[in-house]
Amino acid sequence: LQCIYMEAIILVGGLGTRLRPLTHTIPKPLLPLANVPMVERMVKNLPEIFDTAILAVNYGLNEMETYFDGRDIGKRIVIVPEDEPLGTGGAMRNCFDYITGTTAVFNGDVVSSINLEKMLKQHVKTGAKGTLALWEVDDPSRFGVVELKNGQITQFQEKPEKGTELSNLINAGTYLLEPEILEMIPSGKKISIEREIYPKVAGNGLYGFPFEGYFIDSGTPESYLEANFKSLGKNGTAAHKGASIRGNALIHESAKLKDCIIGSDAIIGPGVEMEKCVIRKSVILSNVSGYGSVVEECIIGPDVSFENDLTRSLISPKGAISF
Ligand code: GTP
Protein backbone atom coordinates (compact mmCIF):
# COMPACT_ATOMS: atom_id res chain seq x y z
CA LEU A 1 0.00 0.00 0.00
CA GLN A 2 1.43 3.33 -1.05
CA CYS A 3 0.63 6.43 0.93
CA ILE A 4 0.96 9.72 -0.89
CA TYR A 5 1.19 12.85 1.15
CA MET A 6 1.18 16.42 -0.06
CA GLU A 7 2.65 19.71 1.07
CA ALA A 8 0.93 23.03 1.61
CA ILE A 9 2.83 26.31 1.43
CA ILE A 10 1.45 29.08 3.60
CA LEU A 11 2.59 32.60 2.74
CA VAL A 12 3.14 34.30 6.05
CA GLY A 13 5.89 36.78 5.35
CA GLY A 14 4.05 40.03 4.81
CA LEU A 15 4.46 43.14 6.96
CA GLY A 16 0.77 43.37 7.85
CA THR A 17 0.84 47.16 7.45
CA ARG A 18 -2.94 47.47 7.53
CA LEU A 19 -3.02 46.06 11.05
CA ARG A 20 -0.37 48.35 12.47
CA PRO A 21 0.43 49.20 15.24
CA LEU A 22 -0.74 45.74 16.38
CA THR A 23 1.61 43.98 13.96
CA HIS A 24 4.59 45.91 15.36
CA THR A 25 4.55 43.49 18.29
CA ILE A 26 2.80 40.39 16.88
CA PRO A 27 3.34 39.30 13.26
CA LYS A 28 -0.04 38.97 11.54
CA PRO A 29 0.08 35.14 11.19
CA LEU A 30 0.42 34.83 14.96
CA LEU A 31 -2.52 37.11 15.70
CA PRO A 32 -5.23 34.93 17.17
CA LEU A 33 -8.58 34.17 15.59
CA ALA A 34 -10.88 33.05 18.39
CA ASN A 35 -7.82 32.59 20.62
CA VAL A 36 -5.81 30.42 18.17
CA PRO A 37 -3.09 32.00 15.99
CA MET A 38 -4.24 32.46 12.39
CA VAL A 39 -1.48 30.27 10.95
CA GLU A 40 -2.03 27.46 13.47
CA ARG A 41 -5.73 27.44 12.60
CA MET A 42 -4.87 27.20 8.90
CA VAL A 43 -2.47 24.29 9.46
CA LYS A 44 -5.01 22.43 11.59
CA ASN A 45 -7.71 22.92 8.95
CA LEU A 46 -5.65 21.24 6.21
CA PRO A 47 -7.17 17.99 4.95
CA GLU A 48 -5.43 14.83 6.16
CA ILE A 49 -3.64 14.22 2.85
CA PHE A 50 -1.46 17.25 3.63
CA ASP A 51 1.12 16.05 6.14
CA THR A 52 3.47 19.04 5.83
CA ALA A 53 2.90 22.76 6.14
CA ILE A 54 5.70 24.90 4.74
CA LEU A 55 5.66 28.40 6.19
CA ALA A 56 7.25 31.01 3.92
CA VAL A 57 8.43 33.63 6.38
CA ASN A 58 10.19 36.94 6.19
CA TYR A 59 8.85 39.50 8.68
CA GLY A 60 8.33 37.86 12.08
CA LEU A 61 10.75 34.95 11.60
CA ASN A 62 11.98 34.81 15.21
CA GLU A 63 8.47 34.94 16.65
CA MET A 64 7.31 32.19 14.29
CA GLU A 65 10.27 29.91 15.10
CA THR A 66 9.71 30.43 18.81
CA TYR A 67 6.00 29.73 18.53
CA PHE A 68 6.34 26.45 16.63
CA ASP A 69 9.45 25.20 18.43
CA GLY A 70 8.47 21.94 20.13
CA ARG A 71 4.74 22.49 19.60
CA ASP A 72 2.79 19.54 18.21
CA ILE A 73 -0.05 20.67 15.99
CA GLY A 74 -0.53 17.41 14.13
CA LYS A 75 1.47 18.19 10.96
CA ARG A 76 5.12 18.56 10.11
CA ILE A 77 6.01 22.26 10.08
CA VAL A 78 8.87 23.52 7.92
CA ILE A 79 9.79 27.17 8.30
CA VAL A 80 11.51 28.59 5.22
CA PRO A 81 13.02 32.03 5.81
CA GLU A 82 13.65 34.74 3.22
CA ASP A 83 16.51 37.15 3.77
CA GLU A 84 14.64 39.75 1.74
CA PRO A 85 10.87 39.74 1.17
CA LEU A 86 10.52 37.88 -2.13
CA GLY A 87 6.88 38.67 -2.87
CA THR A 88 4.23 35.98 -3.25
CA GLY A 89 5.90 34.21 -6.21
CA GLY A 90 9.47 34.51 -4.98
CA ALA A 91 8.41 33.16 -1.58
CA MET A 92 6.79 30.08 -3.18
CA ARG A 93 9.82 29.46 -5.34
CA ASN A 94 12.02 29.69 -2.24
CA CYS A 95 10.10 26.65 -0.88
CA PHE A 96 10.62 24.58 -4.03
CA ASP A 97 13.12 22.17 -2.47
CA TYR A 98 10.54 21.06 0.09
CA ILE A 99 7.73 20.08 -2.28
CA THR A 100 7.23 16.66 -3.85
CA GLY A 101 4.37 17.25 -6.33
CA THR A 102 1.06 19.08 -6.56
CA THR A 103 1.15 21.74 -3.86
CA ALA A 104 -1.51 23.82 -2.16
CA VAL A 105 -0.62 27.46 -1.55
CA PHE A 106 -2.47 29.78 0.81
CA ASN A 107 -2.30 33.46 1.57
CA GLY A 108 -1.90 33.19 5.31
CA ASP A 109 -4.59 35.71 6.18
CA VAL A 110 -7.51 34.17 4.30
CA VAL A 111 -10.40 32.72 6.28
CA SER A 112 -12.85 30.94 3.99
CA SER A 113 -15.33 28.12 3.63
CA ILE A 114 -13.45 26.59 0.72
CA ASN A 115 -13.59 22.81 0.36
CA LEU A 116 -9.98 21.98 -0.52
CA GLU A 117 -10.70 18.30 -1.14
CA LYS A 118 -13.32 19.19 -3.75
CA MET A 119 -10.91 21.69 -5.30
CA LEU A 120 -8.21 19.01 -5.44
CA LYS A 121 -10.59 16.58 -7.17
CA GLN A 122 -11.34 19.19 -9.83
CA HIS A 123 -7.64 20.01 -10.21
CA VAL A 124 -6.82 16.34 -10.90
CA LYS A 125 -9.82 15.80 -13.19
CA THR A 126 -9.04 18.80 -15.41
CA GLY A 127 -5.32 18.07 -15.49
CA ALA A 128 -4.71 21.72 -14.62
CA LYS A 129 -1.25 23.22 -14.20
CA GLY A 130 -2.83 25.50 -11.64
CA THR A 131 -6.25 25.92 -10.05
CA LEU A 132 -7.21 29.17 -8.33
CA ALA A 133 -10.04 29.45 -5.83
CA LEU A 134 -12.41 32.21 -6.99
CA TRP A 135 -14.84 34.35 -5.05
CA GLU A 136 -17.58 36.59 -6.43
CA VAL A 137 -17.73 40.22 -5.27
CA ASP A 138 -19.70 43.34 -6.24
CA ASP A 139 -16.64 45.58 -6.68
CA PRO A 140 -13.63 43.59 -7.90
CA SER A 141 -11.36 46.57 -8.65
CA ARG A 142 -9.13 46.15 -5.55
CA PHE A 143 -8.44 42.49 -6.31
CA GLY A 144 -7.02 40.09 -8.86
CA VAL A 145 -9.81 39.56 -11.39
CA VAL A 146 -10.18 36.63 -13.80
CA GLU A 147 -12.08 35.85 -16.96
CA LEU A 148 -13.46 32.32 -16.68
CA LYS A 149 -14.54 30.34 -19.76
CA ASN A 150 -15.63 26.71 -19.45
CA GLY A 151 -13.78 26.44 -16.16
CA GLN A 152 -10.52 27.82 -17.56
CA ILE A 153 -9.03 31.14 -16.57
CA THR A 154 -8.44 32.83 -19.91
CA GLN A 155 -7.26 36.21 -18.61
CA PHE A 156 -5.91 37.51 -15.30
CA GLN A 157 -5.91 41.18 -14.22
CA GLU A 158 -4.29 42.36 -10.96
CA LYS A 159 -6.17 45.28 -9.36
CA PRO A 160 -7.75 46.62 -12.58
CA GLU A 161 -8.95 50.21 -13.04
CA LYS A 162 -12.60 50.59 -12.07
CA GLY A 163 -14.79 49.91 -15.10
CA THR A 164 -12.21 47.73 -16.86
CA GLU A 165 -12.76 44.56 -14.77
CA LEU A 166 -13.24 41.39 -16.82
CA SER A 167 -15.73 39.87 -14.35
CA ASN A 168 -16.80 39.84 -10.71
CA LEU A 169 -14.71 36.78 -9.92
CA ILE A 170 -11.62 37.47 -7.82
CA ASN A 171 -8.58 35.51 -6.78
CA ALA A 172 -9.33 34.18 -3.30
CA GLY A 173 -5.68 33.51 -2.36
CA THR A 174 -5.84 29.70 -2.37
CA TYR A 175 -4.12 27.75 -5.13
CA LEU A 176 -3.28 24.23 -6.25
CA LEU A 177 -0.14 24.33 -8.35
CA GLU A 178 1.91 21.80 -10.28
CA PRO A 179 5.67 22.10 -9.81
CA GLU A 180 6.02 23.35 -13.41
CA ILE A 181 4.32 26.61 -12.40
CA LEU A 182 6.74 27.09 -9.52
CA GLU A 183 9.58 26.36 -11.95
CA MET A 184 8.47 29.29 -14.09
CA ILE A 185 9.34 31.63 -11.22
CA PRO A 186 12.95 32.84 -11.34
CA SER A 187 14.62 31.93 -8.04
CA GLY A 188 16.08 34.42 -5.58
CA LYS A 189 14.12 37.33 -7.05
CA LYS A 190 11.20 39.37 -5.83
CA ILE A 191 8.27 38.18 -7.92
CA SER A 192 4.50 38.63 -7.59
CA ILE A 193 2.81 35.46 -8.80
CA GLU A 194 -0.37 37.44 -9.39
CA ARG A 195 1.27 40.07 -11.58
CA GLU A 196 4.08 38.17 -13.25
CA ILE A 197 3.15 34.49 -13.52
CA TYR A 198 -0.64 33.97 -13.62
CA PRO A 199 -1.16 36.32 -16.61
CA LYS A 200 1.36 34.17 -18.52
CA VAL A 201 -0.35 30.86 -17.69
CA ALA A 202 -3.89 32.19 -18.29
CA GLY A 203 -5.43 30.33 -21.23
CA ASN A 204 -2.86 27.58 -20.92
CA GLY A 205 -3.88 25.20 -18.16
CA LEU A 206 -4.99 27.66 -15.47
CA TYR A 207 -8.40 26.72 -14.04
CA GLY A 208 -10.81 28.42 -11.67
CA PHE A 209 -12.66 26.95 -8.72
CA PRO A 210 -15.52 29.29 -7.73
CA PHE A 211 -16.88 28.58 -4.26
CA GLU A 212 -19.63 29.91 -2.01
CA GLY A 213 -20.03 30.44 1.71
CA TYR A 214 -17.62 32.98 3.13
CA PHE A 215 -14.27 34.55 2.27
CA ILE A 216 -12.52 37.02 4.55
CA ASP A 217 -9.08 38.55 4.02
CA SER A 218 -8.46 39.23 7.69
CA GLY A 219 -5.82 41.91 7.04
CA THR A 220 -7.72 45.07 8.12
CA PRO A 221 -9.13 45.93 11.57
CA GLU A 222 -12.74 45.41 10.40
CA SER A 223 -12.02 42.17 8.59
CA TYR A 224 -9.84 40.90 11.46
CA LEU A 225 -12.85 41.30 13.76
CA GLU A 226 -15.12 39.60 11.23
CA ALA A 227 -12.67 36.71 10.82
CA ASN A 228 -12.60 36.26 14.58
CA PHE A 229 -16.37 36.01 14.84
CA LYS A 230 -16.50 33.60 11.88
CA SER A 231 -13.79 31.43 13.48
CA LEU A 232 -15.67 31.45 16.77
CA GLY A 233 -18.66 29.93 14.96
CA LYS A 234 -21.00 28.29 17.42
CA ASN A 235 -18.23 27.13 19.77
CA GLY A 236 -18.62 29.81 22.38
CA THR A 237 -18.27 29.68 26.16
CA ALA A 238 -21.49 28.67 27.90
CA ALA A 239 -20.67 30.12 31.31
CA HIS A 240 -17.74 31.89 32.98
CA LYS A 241 -17.36 33.12 36.54
CA GLY A 242 -17.97 36.85 36.82
CA ALA A 243 -19.47 37.16 33.34
CA SER A 244 -22.97 37.40 32.01
CA ILE A 245 -22.76 36.07 28.46
CA ARG A 246 -24.95 37.51 25.68
CA GLY A 247 -25.18 35.60 22.41
CA ASN A 248 -22.00 34.12 21.04
CA ALA A 249 -18.82 34.78 23.01
CA LEU A 250 -15.55 33.05 23.81
CA ILE A 251 -13.78 33.57 27.13
CA HIS A 252 -10.40 31.98 27.79
CA GLU A 253 -10.48 29.80 30.88
CA SER A 254 -7.64 31.78 32.48
CA ALA A 255 -9.47 35.13 32.20
CA LYS A 256 -10.52 36.69 35.51
CA LEU A 257 -13.78 38.63 35.20
CA LYS A 258 -15.96 40.43 37.72
CA ASP A 259 -19.37 41.98 37.00
CA CYS A 260 -18.86 41.91 33.21
CA ILE A 261 -21.29 41.54 30.32
CA ILE A 262 -19.62 39.71 27.45
CA GLY A 263 -21.13 39.45 23.94
CA SER A 264 -22.52 39.10 21.60
CA ASP A 265 -19.51 38.49 19.35
CA ALA A 266 -16.76 39.00 21.91
CA ILE A 267 -13.51 37.08 22.36
CA ILE A 268 -11.57 37.34 25.59
CA GLY A 269 -7.98 36.06 25.54
CA PRO A 270 -5.80 34.38 28.15
CA GLY A 271 -4.78 36.23 31.30
CA VAL A 272 -7.31 39.03 30.80
CA GLU A 273 -8.57 40.74 33.96
CA MET A 274 -11.65 42.95 33.74
CA GLU A 275 -14.16 44.39 36.15
CA LYS A 276 -17.47 46.19 35.42
CA CYS A 277 -16.97 46.06 31.64
CA VAL A 278 -19.37 45.52 28.77
CA ILE A 279 -17.61 43.99 25.76
CA ARG A 280 -19.43 43.72 22.42
CA LYS A 281 -18.22 42.88 18.90
CA SER A 282 -14.61 43.04 20.10
CA VAL A 283 -11.44 41.03 20.49
CA ILE A 284 -9.53 41.40 23.75
CA LEU A 285 -6.04 39.92 23.41
CA SER A 286 -3.89 38.36 26.14
CA ASN A 287 -3.18 39.94 29.53
CA VAL A 288 -5.33 43.02 28.99
CA SER A 289 -6.79 44.67 32.06
CA GLY A 290 -9.91 46.82 31.99
CA TYR A 291 -12.22 48.59 34.41
CA GLY A 292 -15.62 50.24 34.17
CA SER A 293 -15.90 50.58 30.39
CA VAL A 294 -18.19 49.82 27.48
CA VAL A 295 -16.11 48.49 24.60
CA GLU A 296 -17.61 48.06 21.15
CA GLU A 297 -16.00 47.02 17.82
CA CYS A 298 -12.48 47.18 19.25
CA ILE A 299 -9.26 45.20 19.12
CA ILE A 300 -7.34 45.60 22.37
CA GLY A 301 -4.02 44.27 23.52
CA PRO A 302 -1.92 42.45 24.39
CA ASP A 303 -0.84 43.76 27.83
CA VAL A 304 -2.88 46.96 27.51
CA SER A 305 -4.96 48.62 30.28
CA PHE A 306 -8.12 50.66 29.70
CA GLU A 307 -10.50 52.56 31.93
CA ASN A 308 -12.68 54.46 29.46
CA ASP A 309 -15.38 53.66 26.90
CA LEU A 310 -14.07 52.69 23.48
CA THR A 311 -15.55 52.20 19.99
CA ARG A 312 -13.92 51.18 16.72
CA SER A 313 -10.40 51.46 18.11
CA LEU A 314 -7.35 49.29 17.80
CA ILE A 315 -5.19 49.66 20.88
CA SER A 316 -1.80 47.98 21.06
CA PRO A 317 1.31 48.33 23.24
CA LYS A 318 2.84 50.45 20.44
CA GLY A 319 -0.04 52.89 20.05
CA ALA A 320 -3.66 53.16 19.02
CA ILE A 321 -5.71 53.94 15.92
CA SER A 322 -9.39 54.54 15.20
CA PHE A 323 -10.97 52.76 12.27
P1 GTP B 1 -0.50 44.46 4.31
O1 GTP B 1 0.86 45.04 4.48
O2 GTP B 1 -1.44 44.95 5.38
O3 GTP B 1 -1.07 44.60 2.93
O4 GTP B 1 -0.44 42.89 4.61
P2 GTP B 1 0.56 41.78 4.01
O5 GTP B 1 1.95 42.19 4.26
O6 GTP B 1 0.15 40.48 4.60
O7 GTP B 1 0.31 41.80 2.46
P3 GTP B 1 -0.81 41.02 1.62
O8 GTP B 1 -2.05 40.91 2.44
O9 GTP B 1 -0.91 41.61 0.29
O10 GTP B 1 -0.12 39.58 1.44
C1 GTP B 1 -0.85 38.44 1.07
C2 GTP B 1 -0.22 37.24 1.69
O11 GTP B 1 1.09 37.02 1.17
C3 GTP B 1 -0.05 37.36 3.19
O12 GTP B 1 -0.36 36.08 3.72
C4 GTP B 1 1.38 37.74 3.38
O13 GTP B 1 1.89 37.23 4.60
C5 GTP B 1 2.05 37.07 2.19
N1 GTP B 1 3.21 37.80 1.67
C6 GTP B 1 3.20 39.02 1.05
N2 GTP B 1 4.43 39.35 0.68
C7 GTP B 1 5.25 38.34 1.06
C8 GTP B 1 6.66 38.10 0.95
O14 GTP B 1 7.44 38.91 0.43
N3 GTP B 1 7.13 36.94 1.46
C9 GTP B 1 6.31 36.03 2.05
N4 GTP B 1 6.84 34.91 2.54
N5 GTP B 1 4.98 36.21 2.17
C10 GTP B 1 4.47 37.35 1.68
Side-chain angles (χ1 to χ4, degrees), residues 229-246:
F229 307 144
K230 227 5 153 192
S231 304
L232 163 59
K234 302 264 173 282
N235 309 312
T237 303
H240 189 95
K241 193 165 173 264
S244 167
I245 296 173
R246 305 283 153 85

Side-chain angles (χ1 to χ4, degrees), residues 10-19 28-29 56-58 80 82 84-88 91 106-110 159 190 194 217 219:
I10 307 182
L11 300 176
V12 283
L15 292 172
T17 51
R18 292 164 300 159
L19 279 171
K28 183 164 67 171
V57 185
N58 173 246
V80 181
E82 294 154 48
E84 297 281 317
L86 291 173
T88 49
F106 299 87
N107 279 0
D109 44 12
V110 166
K159 302 193 175 71
K190 184 166 185 172
E194 298 88 347
D217 158 4

